[in-house]
Amino acid sequence: MAKKRKILVLNGPNLNLLGKRQPEIYGRLTLDQINKKIRSLAKELGVEIDIRQSNSEGDLVNWIQEAPREFGAIVINPAAYTHSSVAIRDAITAAGIPAVEVHISNIYKREEFRKHSYIAGAAVGQIAGFGAQSYLLGLRAAVEQL
Ligand code: CA2
């Protein structure tokens, strides 16, 4: 079967608040503005894209479980679930398609509890600290995995 040139971009809890609070850490762009940039790069790279956000761990797990039917790779910013979710890690492992973990901030320069990612061991790789650009770098990396 031909590999699917379609990428699922997932955003975890509170990322819907981007641009509205804590701009010193997460920048001034809203999630909608970041999504526009992702869509424009996807077009340039010739891949289809579906972008989703949820504050619920269950939604993210369900979307990851369903992903292999439709998508060839996942770009995920698991947000705070990065540091707590064995469920999201297990879903990524079970899905069996490449996942690229992205973070807006450099999680290794912040509080101790942010330095551990449960997701990293299930992801192909991780991009952190480049602001909104982390998503664009993540998309390029995911396309290379297709
Ligand atoms: O740097 C990232 O992308 C994070 O995944 C963002 C998460 C944080 O828990 C991770 O440690 C690192 C937080 C997302 C919440 O974003 C907000 C944006 C504006 C205001 C409040 C929260």
Side-chain angles (χ1 to χ4, degrees):
M1 198 178 72
K3 295 232 172 121
K4 302 173 191 90
R5 281 190 73 77
K6 192 166 179 186
I7 290 174
L8 177 62
V9 180
L10 293 180
N11 286 291
N14 296 311
L15 286 164
N16 54 310
L17 300 177
L18 281 175
K20 293 164 192 162
R21 301 209 178 91
Q22 293 185 265
E24 64 290 352
I25 301 175
Y26 299 118
R28 294 193 181 279
L29 295 182
T30 64
L31 192 56
D32 278 352
Q33 288 169 326
I34 293 174
N35 290 346
K36 257 193 196 155
K37 288 178 184 286
I38 298 172
R39 286 199 186 92
S40 147
L41 179 63
K43 206 170 173 189
E44 189 186 313
L45 298 176
V47 288
E48 281 184 74
I49 202 114
D50 191 338
I51 308 176
R52 303 175 193 171
Q53 188 273 333
S54 178
N55 293 328
S56 147
E57 189 177 21
D59 285 345
L60 295 163
V61 167
N62 288 336
W63 290 335
I64 293 164
Q65 283 187 11
E66 292 160 9
R69 278 189 238 148
E70 206 183 335
F71 302 95
I74 298 170
V75 174
I76 182 167
N77 183 348
Y81 290 139
T82 305
H83 319 295
S84 68
S85 183
V86 177
I88 291 176
R89 180 197 177 110
D90 287 350
I92 290 171
T93 302
I97 56 172
V100 178
E101 177 184 355
V102 301
H103 297 285
I104 295 166
S105 64
N106 181 346
I107 55 174
Y108 303 99
K109 269 173 90 174
R110 301 184 61 194
E111 302 96 323
E112 258 334 284
F113 71 86
R114 292 189 205 274
K115 292 181 183 167
H116 178 257
S117 167
Y118 279 96
I119 310 307
V124 186
Q126 184 195 68
I127 296 161
F130 296 95
Q133 282 288 328
S134 291
Y135 286 92
L136 306 181
L137 294 166
L139 179 58
R140 286 184 187 278
V143 169
E144 292 299 318
Q145 295 292 320
L146 292 176

XYZ file of all heavy atoms in Angstrom, residues 11-23 25-27 29 76-83 101-107 110-111 113-116 127-129 131 134-135, ligand 1:
371
model
N -2.320 18.993 19.347
C -1.963 19.941 20.403
C -2.692 19.576 21.682
O -3.907 19.377 21.679
C -2.374 21.358 19.999
C -1.457 21.922 18.936
O -0.294 22.208 19.207
N -1.967 22.044 17.721
N -1.942 19.555 22.775
C -2.510 19.185 24.063
C -3.075 20.362 24.842
O -3.301 21.452 24.300
N -3.272 20.147 26.157
C -4.026 21.080 26.982
C -3.430 22.480 27.089
O -2.210 22.639 27.171
C -4.035 20.410 28.365
C -2.954 19.398 28.313
C -2.829 18.967 26.890
N -4.331 23.434 27.085
C -4.039 24.866 27.289
C -3.384 25.541 26.087
O -3.204 26.763 26.102
C -3.192 25.097 28.555
C -3.931 24.686 29.810
O -5.084 25.075 29.992
N -3.318 23.883 30.647
N -3.040 24.790 25.069
C -2.412 25.435 23.900
C -3.407 26.331 23.160
O -3.010 27.205 22.391
C -1.777 24.392 22.976
C -0.465 23.811 23.548
C -0.063 22.533 22.835
C 0.670 24.842 23.472
N -4.703 26.166 23.456
C -5.717 27.092 22.925
C -5.557 28.495 23.519
O -6.123 29.451 23.008
C -7.132 26.553 23.193
C -7.364 26.227 24.654
O -6.548 25.534 25.274
N -8.447 26.713 25.211
N -4.747 28.612 24.595
C -4.538 29.933 25.237
C -3.355 30.690 24.638
O -3.072 31.815 25.042
C -4.291 29.758 26.740
C -5.399 29.096 27.551
C -4.961 28.929 29.000
C -6.682 29.932 27.475
N -2.650 30.064 23.689
C -1.456 30.702 23.115
C -1.753 32.106 22.610
O -2.801 32.352 22.004
C -0.914 29.875 21.941
C -0.092 28.640 22.287
C 0.260 27.887 21.014
C 1.159 29.011 23.062
N -0.792 33.003 22.870
C -0.934 34.380 22.401
C -1.742 35.237 23.346
O -1.748 36.459 23.246
N -2.415 34.588 24.283
C -3.302 35.345 25.178
C -2.689 35.522 26.563
O -2.983 36.456 27.267
C -4.659 34.641 25.277
C -5.375 34.711 23.932
C -6.519 33.750 23.778
C -6.937 33.704 22.309
N -7.724 32.531 21.978
N -1.816 34.573 26.969
C -1.139 34.653 28.274
C 0.294 34.169 28.131
O 0.628 33.464 27.194
C -1.842 33.769 29.311
C -3.277 34.158 29.490
C -3.822 33.865 30.862
N -5.204 34.338 30.878
C -6.253 33.571 30.553
N -6.086 32.321 30.254
N -7.466 34.077 30.547
N 1.148 34.563 29.084
C 2.559 34.148 29.143
C 3.306 34.271 27.806
O 3.998 33.333 27.391
C 2.642 32.703 29.651
C 2.198 32.568 31.108
C 2.410 31.156 31.622
O 1.497 30.338 31.607
N 3.616 30.877 32.046
N 3.207 35.444 27.139
C 3.907 35.594 25.849
C 5.426 35.518 25.985
O 6.108 35.168 25.029
C 3.462 36.978 25.354
C 3.009 37.702 26.570
C 2.468 36.662 27.513
N 7.067 33.347 27.525
C 7.490 31.932 27.382
C 7.026 31.355 26.053
O 7.789 30.681 25.358
C 6.917 31.060 28.538
C 7.378 31.586 29.890
C 7.346 29.591 28.369
C 6.763 30.854 31.085
N 5.763 31.643 25.688
C 5.174 30.947 24.538
C 4.971 31.827 23.303
O 4.438 31.351 22.295
C 3.837 30.310 24.955
C 3.999 29.291 26.065
C 3.390 29.457 27.310
C 4.795 28.161 25.871
C 3.550 28.534 28.325
C 4.972 27.223 26.885
C 4.347 27.417 28.109
O 4.520 26.497 29.113
N 5.420 33.097 23.383
C 5.311 33.963 22.211
C 3.956 34.633 22.093
O 3.063 34.420 22.922
N 2.036 34.648 19.168
C 1.139 34.090 18.146
C 0.051 33.246 18.792
O 0.304 32.496 19.739
C 1.922 33.227 17.155
C 2.957 33.923 16.271
C 3.594 32.918 15.309
C 2.322 35.068 15.487
N 3.213 16.080 17.310
C 2.444 16.291 18.541
C 3.160 17.207 19.522
O 4.338 17.011 19.819
C 2.077 14.933 19.214
C 1.233 15.175 20.474
C 3.301 14.065 19.501
C 0.553 13.924 21.028
N 2.417 18.214 19.986
C 2.842 18.968 21.163
C 1.919 18.502 22.296
O 0.785 18.978 22.413
C 2.720 20.475 20.957
C 3.244 21.234 22.171
O 3.476 20.645 23.235
N 3.436 22.540 22.020
N 2.385 17.574 23.121
C 1.509 17.019 24.150
C 1.289 17.976 25.322
O 0.550 17.644 26.259
C 2.269 15.766 24.629
C 3.483 15.638 23.747
C 3.734 16.974 23.142
N 1.966 19.134 25.286
C 1.862 20.157 26.348
C 2.135 19.518 27.712
O 3.074 18.728 27.840
C 0.519 20.873 26.253
N 1.324 19.798 28.727
C 1.624 19.299 30.082
C 1.589 17.770 30.160
O 2.250 17.174 31.015
C 0.651 19.904 31.078
N 0.853 17.112 29.241
C 0.827 15.638 29.250
C 2.184 15.023 28.904
O 2.412 13.849 29.159
C -0.247 15.107 28.299
C -1.654 15.355 28.769
C -2.642 15.762 27.873
C -2.012 15.170 30.107
C -3.936 16.001 28.298
C -3.304 15.409 30.539
C -4.261 15.819 29.629
O -5.546 16.051 30.056
N 3.075 15.855 28.327
C 4.450 15.410 28.077
C 5.055 14.793 29.332
O 5.761 13.786 29.265
C 5.323 16.644 27.715
O 4.722 17.319 26.621
C 6.754 16.248 27.383
N 4.754 15.461 30.460
C 5.434 15.135 31.706
C 4.638 14.179 32.597
O 5.020 13.942 33.733
C 5.733 16.440 32.464
C 6.203 17.540 31.567
N 7.388 17.473 30.870
C 5.619 18.709 31.156
C 7.536 18.558 30.124
N 6.465 19.325 30.280
N 7.767 14.800 18.338
C 7.338 15.577 19.513
C 7.863 17.000 19.372
O 9.057 17.201 19.117
C 7.919 14.916 20.775
C 7.600 15.664 22.053
C 8.279 15.022 23.271
O 8.908 13.957 23.137
O 8.189 15.635 24.353
N 6.987 17.983 19.530
C 7.436 19.376 19.432
C 7.031 20.162 20.679
O 5.998 19.894 21.300
C 6.897 20.096 18.159
C 7.333 19.382 16.898
C 5.396 20.266 18.176
N 7.891 21.130 21.015
C 7.595 22.063 22.103
C 7.995 23.464 21.681
O 9.058 23.655 21.067
C 8.357 21.686 23.377
C 7.945 20.352 23.905
N 6.759 20.158 24.565
C 8.544 19.138 23.825
C 6.643 18.882 24.876
N 7.713 18.240 24.433
N 7.173 24.406 22.052
C 7.455 25.812 21.754
C 8.660 26.279 22.576
O 9.578 26.910 22.063
C 6.202 26.657 22.088
C 5.054 26.253 21.157
C 6.510 28.151 21.977
C 3.698 26.755 21.609
N 8.636 25.959 23.863
C 9.721 26.391 24.760
C 10.782 25.293 24.848
O 10.521 24.133 24.501
C 9.148 26.678 26.151
O 8.618 25.491 26.726
N 11.960 25.683 25.336
C 13.010 24.697 25.585
C 12.753 24.092 26.967
O 13.091 24.684 27.991
C 14.388 25.361 25.526
C 15.502 24.362 25.745
O 15.263 23.237 26.182
N 16.723 24.767 25.450
N 12.155 22.918 26.982
C 11.721 22.314 28.248
C 12.908 21.966 29.159
O 12.721 21.765 30.357
C 10.819 21.062 28.028
C 11.502 20.022 27.148
C 9.485 21.466 27.424
C 10.703 18.706 27.013
N 13.883 24.946 31.776
C 12.813 25.424 32.648
C 12.795 24.632 33.966
O 13.830 24.166 34.418
C 11.490 25.338 31.875
C 11.522 26.188 30.584
C 10.199 26.182 29.868
N 9.150 26.740 30.705
C 7.843 26.609 30.448
N 7.451 25.978 29.349
N 6.948 27.144 31.249
N 11.627 24.486 34.584
C 11.558 23.787 35.863
C 12.012 22.328 35.690
O 11.844 21.749 34.626
C 10.113 23.785 36.406
C 9.506 25.164 36.611
C 8.665 25.604 35.421
O 9.034 25.299 34.263
O 7.639 26.261 35.665
N 10.656 19.574 36.648
C 9.627 18.591 36.250
C 9.369 18.577 34.746
O 8.825 17.619 34.217
C 8.316 18.822 37.035
C 7.567 20.077 36.638
C 6.665 20.072 35.571
C 7.738 21.256 37.349
C 5.969 21.210 35.214
C 7.039 22.411 36.995
C 6.169 22.396 35.921
N 9.795 19.662 34.051
C 9.580 19.685 32.590
C 10.696 18.969 31.840
O 10.637 18.788 30.636
C 9.478 21.119 32.083
C 8.235 21.830 32.563
C 8.057 23.172 31.874
N 7.263 24.046 32.703
C 5.916 24.074 32.708
N 5.237 23.311 31.893
N 5.271 24.893 33.514
N 11.760 18.590 32.543
C 12.923 18.011 31.866
C 12.720 16.558 31.490
O 13.520 15.987 30.764
C 14.184 18.178 32.728
C 14.588 19.635 32.834
C 15.845 19.840 33.646
C 16.116 21.335 33.756
N 17.125 21.632 34.771
N 11.664 15.939 32.048
C 11.389 14.556 31.647
C 10.163 14.492 30.742
O 9.104 15.025 31.068
C 11.160 13.647 32.862
C 10.838 12.248 32.439
N 9.565 11.735 32.469
C 11.629 11.287 31.907
C 9.591 10.496 31.987
N 10.836 10.200 31.643
N 11.701 18.199 19.011
C 12.165 19.553 18.668
C 11.595 20.494 19.723
O 10.377 20.525 19.928
C 11.688 19.955 17.255
C 12.328 19.024 16.216
C 12.035 21.419 16.953
C 11.644 19.004 14.891
N 12.472 21.239 20.402
C 12.010 22.094 21.497
C 12.779 23.399 21.511
O 13.998 23.419 21.297
C 12.198 21.379 22.830
N 12.057 24.496 21.750
C 12.730 25.757 22.033
C 12.753 26.757 20.899
O 13.337 27.829 21.045
N 10.082 28.239 19.476
C 8.830 28.974 19.356
C 7.913 28.284 18.345
O 7.936 27.043 18.208
N 9.099 25.566 15.959
C 9.231 24.145 16.342
C 8.219 23.292 15.564
O 8.525 22.167 15.157
C 8.997 23.959 17.844
O 10.055 24.525 18.589
N 7.008 23.836 15.363
C 5.993 23.075 14.607
C 6.420 22.902 13.144
O 6.178 21.852 12.544
C 4.649 23.805 14.626
C 3.915 23.731 15.938
C 4.088 24.712 16.899
C 3.032 22.693 16.206
C 3.415 24.654 18.112
C 2.343 22.627 17.403
C 2.538 23.611 18.358
O 1.865 23.546 19.554
O 6.753 24.459 25.299
C 5.767 23.773 25.014
O 5.305 23.699 23.871
C 5.038 23.019 26.121
O 4.595 21.779 25.588
C 3.861 23.888 26.509
C 3.070 23.344 27.702
C 3.998 22.993 28.867
O 3.267 22.376 29.894
C 5.143 22.096 28.434
O 5.984 21.873 29.556
C 5.925 22.719 27.320
C 2.063 24.370 28.177
C 1.035 24.734 27.153
C 0.164 25.790 27.730
O 0.325 26.960 26.966
C -0.083 28.132 27.496
C -0.088 29.200 26.643
C -0.472 30.426 27.082
C -0.847 30.588 28.388
C -0.854 29.520 29.253
C -0.468 28.281 28.806
